[in-house]
């Protein structure tokens, strides 16, 4: 079920102030087993009643572990950079009344505001166990200005229950020319800002890595390489509408409050579903009426469910013919045009945050069959998402399935009622 906050988006100028929302790619409106507490598919960041942001204050260079422990146990936030057994730099942080901090990671400990676990491609089978997660327990933090324009900035690593961030001997770390320490987390936090915002006109930006202090670097040779990339001086860690954040196991989409205000709502998508069904599309062979199942039943294949041949786009009801002995088991021959290709049930894309416009659902991703507007389908078809330690590929935002085929999406051809 959808929470009220997902049902309607508040206008950006109303209280409480919403900084934005993080939406996990690969989920179609909620987690397969339901959203629970801090573990959900979508997380809204609101202005806190009292600020909890922090900023760097004093720096200590320490030669003994005992002295380091004495500083990090003061109850202040701190970041420790272990340079060698005999030298650690500890940067203490003090309260910042002008910012709010939100932390994201795999840990369920109290400092984490949004618990994120590894996304399973195709997400229908949530029982699949990830034996070795690559997402950090305290992966990253987002710091939002409490005053307009409510700028949101992202930083690698999050403070643990002791209010500390520890970068051990093996972690990539360095001293910048201005003297301040910085570093990278083991598998890194990658960010991609689309060119032109989050609209149908947008183009993919370049994936970058964000440091613990929020600087922007080119990617390492592999995800956990010791050598950092090059500093990109003309880019920042400021999140914009449509920015993607990859935590090596899950990718998050950042939507600003203003961007969400111009995005279709859950009610809008439901109205589009009813509009398609009201047109009574028919199977051109069986002549039976087809209907997209209700949003609440989006995981169960129903009798009237539309199916499509993803090479040509012809929409049918389910049938058992068209198998070819020389073709792949999932490939069928379309009875309308004799094109051979995957034949799959169609599912409406229900996560409104992934839509770049409010157009009708006319296109399906291949090979999963999720349906959304033409501009949304074409936008996600061109976005390279990190996969594993050094690969990138386009994926369906609703289920994280890697896209295939020449276009990655196909225009659907519905047949209206004959009567």
């Amino acid at each position: 079920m959808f929470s009220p906050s997902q049902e309607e988006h508040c206008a950006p100028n109303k209280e409480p102030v919403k900084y934005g929302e993080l939406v996990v790619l690969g989920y179609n409106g909620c987690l397969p087993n339901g959203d629970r507490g801090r573990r959900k598919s979508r997380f809204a960041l609101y202005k806190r009643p009292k600020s909890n942001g922090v900023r760097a204050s004093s720096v200590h260079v320490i030669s003994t572990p005992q002295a380091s422990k004495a500083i990090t146990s003061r109850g202040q936030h701190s970041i420790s950079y272990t340079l060698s057994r005999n030298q650690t730099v500890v940067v203490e942080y003090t309260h910042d009344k002008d910012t709010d901090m939100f932390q994201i990671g795999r840990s369920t400990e109290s400092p984490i505001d949004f618990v994120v676990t590894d996304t399973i491609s195709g997400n229908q089978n949530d029982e699949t166990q990830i034996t070795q997660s690559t997402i950090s327990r305290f992966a990253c933090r987002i710091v939002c200005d409490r005053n307009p324009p409510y700028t949101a900035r992202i930083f690698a690593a999050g403070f643990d229950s002791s209010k500390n961030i520890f970068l051990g001997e093996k972690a990539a770390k360095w001293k910048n020319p201005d003297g301040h320490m910085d570093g990278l987390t083991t598998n890194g936090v990658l960010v991609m800002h689309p060119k032109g915002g989050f609209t149908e006109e947008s183009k993919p930006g370049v994936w970058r890595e964000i440091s613990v202090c929020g600087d922007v670097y080119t990617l390492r040779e592999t995800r956990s390489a010791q050598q950092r990339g090059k500093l990109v001086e003309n880019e920042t860690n400021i999140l914009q509408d449509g920015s993607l954040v990859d935590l090596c196991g899950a990718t998050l989409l950042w939507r600003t409050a203003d961007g969400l205000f111009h995005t279709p709502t859950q009610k809008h998508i439901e109205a589009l579903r009813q509009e398609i069904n009201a047109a009574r599309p028919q199977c051109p062979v069986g002549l039976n009426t087809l209907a997209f199942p209700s949003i609440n039943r989006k995981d169960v294949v129903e009798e009237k469910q539309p199916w499509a041949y993803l090479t040509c786009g012809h929409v049918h009801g389910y049938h058992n013919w068209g198998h070819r002995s020389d073709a792949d088991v999932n490939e069928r021959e379309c009875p309308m045009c004799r094109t051979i290709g995957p034949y799959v049930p169609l599912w409406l894309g229900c996560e409104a945050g992934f839509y770049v416009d409010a157009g009708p659902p006319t296109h399906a991703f291949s090979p999963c069959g999720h349906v959304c507007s033409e501009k949304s389908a074409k936008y996600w078809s061109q976005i390279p998402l990190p996969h594993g330690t050094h690969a990138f590929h386009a994926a369906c935002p609703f289920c994280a399935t890697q896209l295939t085929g020449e276009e990655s999406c196909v225009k659907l051809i519905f047949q209206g009622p004959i009567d």
Side-chain angles (χ1 to χ4, degrees), residues 276-288:
I276 292 176
N277 291 350
R280 293 171 56 219
Q282 286 192 341
C283 174
V285 179
L287 300 181
N288 49 312

Side-chain angles (χ1 to χ4, degrees), residues 21 27 34 46 75 90 115-116 136 215 226 236 246 266 358 363-364 376 396 411:
E21 291 191 20
Y27 299 106
Y46 289 99
V90 179
V115 178
V116 177
S136 172
D215 285 338
Q226 288 285 296
T236 72
D246 188 81
Q266 198 54 49
H363 284 61
S376 299
C396 170
K411 179 177 171 57

Side-chain angles (χ1 to χ4, degrees), residues 38 72 75-77 103 107-112 137-138 158-166:
R38 290 173 295 152
T72 56
Q76 293 280 95
H77 287 82
Q103 300 209 136
S107 172
T108 55
E109 291 179 33
S110 58
I112 295 296
R137 295 174 66 244
F138 301 90
F159 294 98
D160 63 17
S161 297
S162 304
K163 298 184 179 179
N164 299 317
I165 293 172
F166 292 99

Side-chain angles (χ1 to χ4, degrees), residues 119-252:
T119 301
I120 301 162
S121 178
N123 88 54
Q124 304 309 322
N125 181 13
D126 199 37
E127 302 307 310
T128 307
Q129 290 297 309
I130 300 289
T131 51
Q132 189 75 42
S133 176
T134 47
I135 299 174
S136 172
R137 295 174 66 244
F138 301 90
C140 68
R141 59 199 194 279
I142 292 175
V143 177
C144 302
D145 289 346
R146 289 173 62 85
N147 298 309
Y150 307 117
T151 303
R153 296 175 174 84
I154 187 165
F155 301 82
F159 294 98
D160 63 17
S161 297
S162 304
K163 298 184 179 179
N164 299 317
I165 293 172
F166 292 99
L167 292 178
E169 276 190 72
K170 293 183 179 178
K173 63 190 111 43
W174 60 91
K175 183 182 279 190
N176 281 308
D178 64 1
H180 83 265
M181 294 295 300
D182 203 351
L184 304 174
T185 54
T186 304
N187 288 328
V189 173
L190 309 188
V191 171
M192 190 270 277
H193 306 299
K195 295 174 184 172
F198 191 64
T199 70
E200 57 269 28
E201 313 301 331
S202 305
K203 298 294 178 193
V206 179
W207 282 97
R208 304 294 196 197
E209 180 162 9
I210 302 296
S211 72
V212 171
C213 292
D215 285 338
V216 181
Y217 288 84
T218 59
L219 301 188
R220 291 178 263 183
E221 282 196 16
T222 60
R223 204 64 196 244
S224 56
Q226 288 285 296
Q227 185 62 40
R228 71 181 186 270
K230 293 180 180 177
L231 180 68
V232 184
E233 295 191 36
N234 61 342
E235 294 183 24
T236 72
N237 63 336
I238 294 174
L239 296 174
Q240 63 187 55
D241 196 33
S243 291
L244 289 168
V245 177
D246 188 81
L247 303 179
C248 195
T251 306
L252 315 178

Side-chain angles (χ1 to χ4, degrees), residues 30 37 68 78 86 134 141 148 157 196 247 285 349 352 372 380 383 387 390:
C30 65
S68 173
S78 65
N86 301 321
T134 47
R141 59 199 194 279
L247 303 179
V285 179
C372 62
W380 288 105
I383 299 292
H387 180 69
H390 53 264

